[in-house]
Amino acid sequence: MKRFTILAAALLMCVATFAQEALWGIGPLVSPEIYDNNTVLFRLRAPKAVKVQITGDFLPKQKVKTPNGEYEIPGIVDLTEGKDGVWEYTTPEPLKPELYSYSFIVDGLRMNDPANIYLIRDVATLTNVFIIGGDRADLYKVNQVPHGTVSRIWYNSPTLGMERRMTVYTPAGYETDGKRYPVFYLLHGMGGDEEAWISLGRTAQILDNLIAQGKAKPMIVVMTNGNASQEAAPGESSLGMMPPSMQLPKTMEGSFEQAFPDVVKFIDKNYRTIKNKSGRAIAGLSMGGFHALHISKQYPDMFNYIGLFSAAILPNKNVVSPIYEDLEGKLRTQFAKKPSLYWIAIGKTDFLYKANEDFRKLLDENGYKYTYYETDEGHIWKNWRIYLSEFAPLLFK
Amino acid sequence: MKRFTILAAALLMCVATFAQEALWGIGPLVSPEIYDNNTVLFRLRAPKAVKVQITGDFLPKQKVKTPNGEYEIPGIVDLTEGKDGVWEYTTPEPLKPELYSYSFIVDGLRMNDPANIYLIRDVATLTNVFIIGGDRADLYKVNQVPHGTVSRIWYNSPTLGMERRMTVYTPAGYETDGKRYPVFYLLHGMGGDEEAWISLGRTAQILDNLIAQGKAKPMIVVMTNGNASQEAAPGESSLGMMPPSMQLPKTMEGSFEQAFPDVVKFIDKNYRTIKNKSGRAIAGLSMGGFHALHISKQYPDMFNYIGLFSAAILPNKNVVSPIYEDLEGKLRTQFAKKPSLYWIAIGKTDFLYKANEDFRKLLDENGYKYTYYETDEGHIWKNWRIYLSEFAPLLFK
């Protein structure tokens, strides 16, 4: 096999022109290194650095004051310099099962871990990720179970007058079994796009695992782009490789909700679906929860299962759209048609907690039936993965 | 709209817990900034850095000596520190149309540009990318043309005894037009996987654009994983978020070639294909060119169009596999059946140039017809994007 070792070495030189460790004859570092007891060691080779720190959502949170109020952000700890300029930090305690994010800070400059190729984008920020398995976090892992197909597909929206991109999960077996499947429409939050749920949300892994365990029915999951001015995620439209923006036009002013039947029509035409209310669910996080609330009441015969995950339920009196008119009347119509599930979830420290509490009061006062699920912490992806893995098993039963 | 601005600000705080610029009240930088004349400005805020450099494939190459010989690697230039600790570099000349890669080096430490979310992985290295449009590079951009669907789908390989992942491009219109399509099997190089061609290779963009321009026939493109020991790309199998490896077992010892009919059977069963030789092409880069050579001669009735892109044509006398036995006899059979196209491409400075020259001599001596396409430079993705955009228009005509 010697010839192949030479080939591999030659190819390595070609493909790894940036990987200078190879040139210097220094082996690559392993980081993060997850020990059997779930403590984690992080390493960075930075011989010239004066100070190396790590920030991550596994560290105790710290409070920061800003003109907009006090916020909790992930803590920061120092790494210790060891041999050959390699800095290290080991978590003092084993980490609980979860998908975690982190970055290094080298002399004040935030950077990704060069030893870890796994990065996830949250709006405009890329952070390294790793998974500590066990418990619920096993749902976030790729396991040896039948895998669904994940497609990026473009649809025409006559209402918005554009071609738009979406992400579609079809369950294992879909291609050849000839069966019809129910459809779960899953909506992202502000700053997100059709990539958010499949990357940070681990939708494909959660659904593969829940379906394999018999806990969720096989279903199609449709992840749309809820920014009505946008054709596709950053880099995926003719705008090119633009920086992502938190403040897009046409996100919560009715356009997306009005155009949503275009999505349902496209899916019903292009996939083997159950083409009625009993075969449709809709849920969303934050802005997507707001969209799910308004879409489901605007089209009360369309969805039998509704999920509001940390929903951005806000009065919006400055926005003029027929979508937002007569909230109470539309809710009355929707609940008179008895949806099988109206599910509201939020974290205790979410800045939208009070708004959700008010909305639940409105439902209570009218005797509208819903299920409430409360978690610790706030407006974070950890909670949205939990909500997805709790909500999906309740659908289409 | 004031309420939405407040919501956006609050959400920004939540999602951007790592984006410390927001906390410090400093606006985000734009980097790279591409000017109308195609000069490019790079920026990095690093107030404590002593030296900031940039390395990228748009810079003049430099030679480095290693125990394995002398190699060319991308050049490195210094940035200049300006106001507020922001370092800058502007290319002295406009850049030619191309997809470029780069990284910063801060006090010796290689890092990605935090202002640029666009990263592409090449084996174990992530680098920032940007596109200078124009000429051929317009094929690499997402343009306002009909878009095909890109799916990650798992197939069963009875020969390898595992479930394996592949990437499939279906042309715009495939879902509903009921037509049958030809299939182009496109194979990656050593260290690559089923993500290589769709990311670095810009396959979906190149095919969308060539088809829209009427230069290529609408076709299905199947991008397999050519590492026979691997179920899927790093992070996409039950091995979890492992570091990628250049030296996997079972890459060039016959297993992948032997198991290739499993792929074709799966595609013919799951997609509306033209199920015969006239509707099948196969090509690959480097190790994938080696695979394409051996697969196409092993199954001489399977492929009518064959492409070897910088193919790793190497004697492999230490490997025992029926696949590699009787090369000349199998080529005789293959060429007696007159494939419509046998296409060989390589760069002038490729370390495999001589091996390809020897192979062409063998074909010449036997009077086997092939087309030869030579480019500048060597074993780099720039060439493989060129080869794809030259080869695809020749297929299924």
Side-chain angles (χ1 to χ4, degrees):
Chain A
M1 298 291 285
K2 201 182 155 207
R3 284 169 204 276
F4 291 102
T5 309
I6 293 166
L7 173 65
L11 289 173
L12 186 63
M13 292 305 307
C14 292
V15 300
T17 44
F18 291 104
Q20 305 201 331
E21 296 92 338
L23 301 178
W24 297 339
I26 306 171
L29 291 179
V30 175
S31 179
E33 186 168 354
I34 301 169
Y35 292 109
D36 288 343
N37 73 348
N38 288 344
T39 56
V40 182
L41 168 59
F42 301 87
R43 291 186 178 94
L44 179 72
R45 181 176 290 121
K48 293 185 186 169
V50 176
K51 185 171 191 161
V52 177
Q53 299 166 297
I54 185 169
T55 178
D57 51 11
F58 52 86
L59 294 166
K61 289 195 173 43
Q62 55 176 334
K63 287 191 173 159
V64 289
K65 283 183 186 175
T66 77
N68 294 320
E70 199 176 75
Y71 294 89
E72 285 197 329
I73 65 166
I76 299 176
V77 295
D78 291 352
L79 278 71
T80 307
E81 188 171 11
K83 234 182 87 179
D84 297 330
V86 175
W87 298 70
E88 295 190 346
Y89 172 75
T90 306
T91 60
E93 302 287 336
L95 299 185
K96 287 183 189 158
E98 187 52 65
L99 185 159
Y100 291 103
S101 301
Y102 72 99
S103 298
F104 289 129
I105 303 171
V106 180
D107 294 331
L109 187 59
R110 188 189 155 277
M111 65 173 284
N112 298 123
D113 182 348
N116 182 356
I117 60 155
Y118 301 103
L119 294 171
I120 295 187
R121 178 175 65 88
D122 191 0
V123 189
T125 307
L126 287 159
T127 47
N128 283 111
V129 294
F130 65 96
I131 294 177
I132 299 288
D135 302 344
R136 187 192 302 268
D138 281 341
L139 294 176
Y140 310 159
K141 295 169 76 172
V142 179
N143 294 308
Q144 280 198 325
V145 298
H147 299 294
T149 300
V150 176
S151 300
R152 270 73 170 189
I153 185 167
W154 290 73
Y155 72 102
N156 180 264
S157 174
T159 310
L160 295 174
M162 52 168 109
E163 298 288 319
R164 310 191 76 236
R165 191 171 177 265
M166 59 167 78
T167 303
V168 178
Y169 168 91
T170 46
Y174 173 86
E175 280 79 9
T176 48
D177 67 12
K179 292 182 195 165
R180 296 200 163 270
Y181 285 93
V183 184
F184 173 20
Y185 294 86
L186 184 56
L187 314 180
H188 64 79
M190 189 166 280
D193 50 58
E194 74 275 16
E195 295 292 326
W197 270 110
I198 205 75
S199 60
L200 277 158
R202 304 292 284 176
T203 302
Q205 291 77 31
I206 291 171
L207 268 289
D208 278 355
N209 289 315
L210 288 174
I211 292 169
Q213 293 168 14
K215 288 183 182 162
K217 294 260 183 186
M219 63 183 87
I220 297 168
V221 185
V222 175
M223 290 153 273
T224 49
N225 183 316
N227 311 305
S229 67
Q230 209 174 44
E231 292 177 351
E236 301 291 345
S237 79
S238 57
L239 294 176
M241 296 185 177
M242 298 284 282
S245 169
M246 260 312 271
Q247 298 225 28
L248 293 164
K250 298 177 75 175
T251 51
M252 293 173 76
E253 40 65 88
S255 298
F256 180 67
E257 296 94 322
Q258 258 173 329
F260 206 78
D262 293 348
V263 174
V264 176
K265 267 179 216 159
F266 174 85
I267 293 296
D268 280 344
K269 188 176 168 196
N270 284 269
Y271 292 86
R272 292 192 320 276
T273 60
I274 295 167
K275 294 183 206 295
N276 59 42
K277 183 175 176 175
S278 73
R280 292 199 201 102
I282 189 167
L285 76 89
S286 194
M287 176 179 86
F290 172 91
H291 285 153
L293 186 166
H294 289 290
I295 291 167
S296 68
K297 73 169 181 26
Q298 186 70 17
Y299 312 105
D301 296 315
M302 205 174 266
F303 301 99
N304 205 17
Y305 304 85
I306 298 102
L308 312 186
F309 303 170
S310 317
I313 300 167
L314 294 174
N316 50 341
K317 289 174 186 162
N318 297 324
V319 176
V320 179
S321 165
I323 294 290
Y324 308 128
E325 283 167 13
D326 191 22
L327 172 69
E328 299 201 18
K330 287 176 185 167
L331 284 175
R332 197 180 312 125
T333 305
Q334 181 180 15
F335 280 93
K337 291 169 180 277
K338 298 196 186 305
S340 284
L341 179 68
Y342 201 97
W343 198 82
I344 299 174
I346 196 158
K348 288 189 179 85
T349 66
D350 196 308
F351 74 99
L352 293 165
Y353 189 88
K354 174 72 170 54
N356 274 258
E357 199 171 42
D358 291 347
F359 184 67
R360 285 188 287 118
K361 261 182 215 154
L362 174 70
L363 299 182
D364 287 335
E365 282 162 13
N366 289 282
Y368 301 152
K369 216 179 120 192
Y370 64 90
T371 305
Y372 180 59
Y373 186 82
E374 191 173 285
T375 55
D376 289 332
E377 304 191 72
H379 212 70
I380 53 176
W381 273 101
K382 176 182 169 186
N383 273 336
W384 302 325
R385 287 187 291 267
I386 293 173
Y387 303 161
L388 174 59
S389 60
E390 291 291 323
F391 184 68
L394 307 175
L395 303 179
F396 314 121
K397 294 276 159 110
Chain B
M1 295 293 283
K2 204 181 153 206
R3 282 167 205 279
F4 291 102
T5 311
I6 295 167
L7 172 65
L11 289 172
L12 186 64
M13 292 306 306
C14 292
V15 299
T17 43
F18 291 103
Q20 305 200 332
E21 297 90 338
L23 301 179
W24 296 339
I26 304 171
L29 291 178
V30 175
S31 179
E33 186 166 355
I34 301 169
Y35 292 109
D36 288 343
N37 73 347
N38 287 345
T39 57
V40 182
L41 168 57
F42 301 88
R43 291 187 177 93
L44 179 71
R45 182 177 288 120
K48 293 185 185 169
V50 175
K51 186 173 191 158
V52 177
Q53 299 164 296
I54 185 168
T55 177
D57 51 12
F58 51 88
L59 294 166
K61 290 194 172 42
Q62 55 175 337
K63 287 191 171 159
V64 289
K65 284 183 184 173
T66 77
N68 294 320
E70 198 176 75
Y71 293 90
E72 285 197 328
I73 65 164
I76 299 176
V77 295
D78 291 352
L79 279 71
T80 308
E81 188 170 10
K83 234 183 88 183
D84 297 329
V86 176
W87 299 69
E88 295 190 346
Y89 172 74
T90 305
T91 61
E93 301 288 337
L95 299 185
K96 286 182 191 159
E98 188 50 69
L99 186 158
Y100 292 103
S101 301
Y102 72 100
S103 299
F104 289 129
I105 303 171
V106 180
D107 295 331
L109 187 60
R110 189 187 153 280
M111 66 172 282
N112 298 123
D113 183 348
N116 182 356
I117 60 156
Y118 301 103
L119 295 171
I120 295 187
R121 177 174 67 86
D122 192 0
V123 190
T125 307
L126 287 160
T127 48
N128 283 110
V129 293
F130 64 97
I131 293 177
I132 300 289
D135 301 343
R136 188 192 299 270
D138 281 342
L139 294 176
Y140 310 157
K141 295 169 76 173
V142 179
N143 293 309
Q144 281 198 325
V145 298
H147 299 294
T149 299
V150 176
S151 301
R152 270 74 170 187
I153 185 167
W154 289 72
Y155 73 103
N156 181 265
S157 174
T159 310
L160 295 174
M162 52 169 108
E163 299 287 320
R164 308 191 76 237
R165 191 170 177 264
M166 60 167 78
T167 302
V168 178
Y169 168 90
T170 46
Y174 172 87
E175 279 79 9
T176 49
D177 66 13
K179 292 181 194 163
R180 294 199 164 271
Y181 285 92
V183 185
F184 174 21
Y185 294 85
L186 185 54
L187 315 180
H188 63 80
M190 191 167 278
D193 50 58
E194 74 275 19
E195 296 293 326
W197 270 110
I198 205 72
S199 60
L200 277 157
R202 303 294 284 176
T203 303
Q205 291 76 32
I206 291 171
L207 268 290
D208 278 355
N209 289 316
L210 288 175
I211 293 168
Q213 293 168 14
K215 289 182 182 161
K217 293 259 185 189
M219 64 182 85
I220 297 168
V221 185
V222 174
M223 291 153 273
T224 48
N225 182 317
N227 311 305
S229 68
Q230 210 174 44
E231 292 176 352
E236 300 293 345
S237 79
S238 57
L239 295 175
M241 295 184 178
M242 297 285 280
S245 169
M246 261 310 273
Q247 297 226 30
L248 292 164
K250 298 177 75 175
T251 51
M252 293 174 74
E253 40 66 86
S255 298
F256 180 67
E257 296 92 324
Q258 259 173 328
F260 205 78
D262 293 349
V263 174
V264 177
K265 267 179 217 159
F266 174 84
I267 293 295
D268 280 344
K269 187 175 169 198
N270 284 267
Y271 292 86
R272 292 192 319 276
T273 61
I274 295 168
K275 295 183 207 292
N276 59 42
K277 183 175 176 174
S278 72
R280 293 198 199 102
I282 188 165
L285 75 89
S286 193
M287 175 179 87
F290 173 93
H291 285 153
L293 187 165
H294 289 289
I295 291 167
S296 68
K297 72 167 180 31
Q298 185 71 18
Y299 313 106
D301 296 316
M302 206 174 267
F303 302 99
N304 205 18
Y305 305 85
I306 298 101
L308 312 186
F309 303 171
S310 315
I313 300 166
L314 294 174
N316 50 340
K317 290 174 184 161
N318 298 323
V319 176
V320 179
S321 164
I323 293 289
Y324 307 128
E325 285 167 11
D326 190 22
L327 172 70
E328 300 199 18
K330 286 178 186 167
L331 283 174
R332 196 180 314 123
T333 306
Q334 181 180 14
F335 280 93
K337 290 169 181 274
K338 299 197 185 305
S340 284
L341 180 67
Y342 201 97
W343 197 84
I344 299 175
I346 195 156
K348 287 188 181 86
T349 67
D350 197 309
F351 74 101
L352 293 164
Y353 190 89
K354 176 71 171 54
N356 274 258
E357 199 171 40
D358 292 347
F359 184 67
R360 283 188 289 120
K361 262 183 215 153
L362 174 69
L363 298 183
D364 288 334
E365 282 162 13
N366 288 283
Y368 300 153
K369 215 179 117 194
Y370 63 90
T371 305
Y372 180 59
Y373 186 83
E374 190 173 284
T375 55
D376 289 331
E377 303 191 70
H379 211 71
I380 53 177
W381 271 101
K382 176 182 169 184
N383 273 337
W384 302 324
R385 287 186 292 266
I386 293 173
Y387 303 161
L388 175 59
S389 59
E390 291 291 322
F391 184 69
L394 307 174
L395 303 179
F396 314 121
K397 294 276 159 113

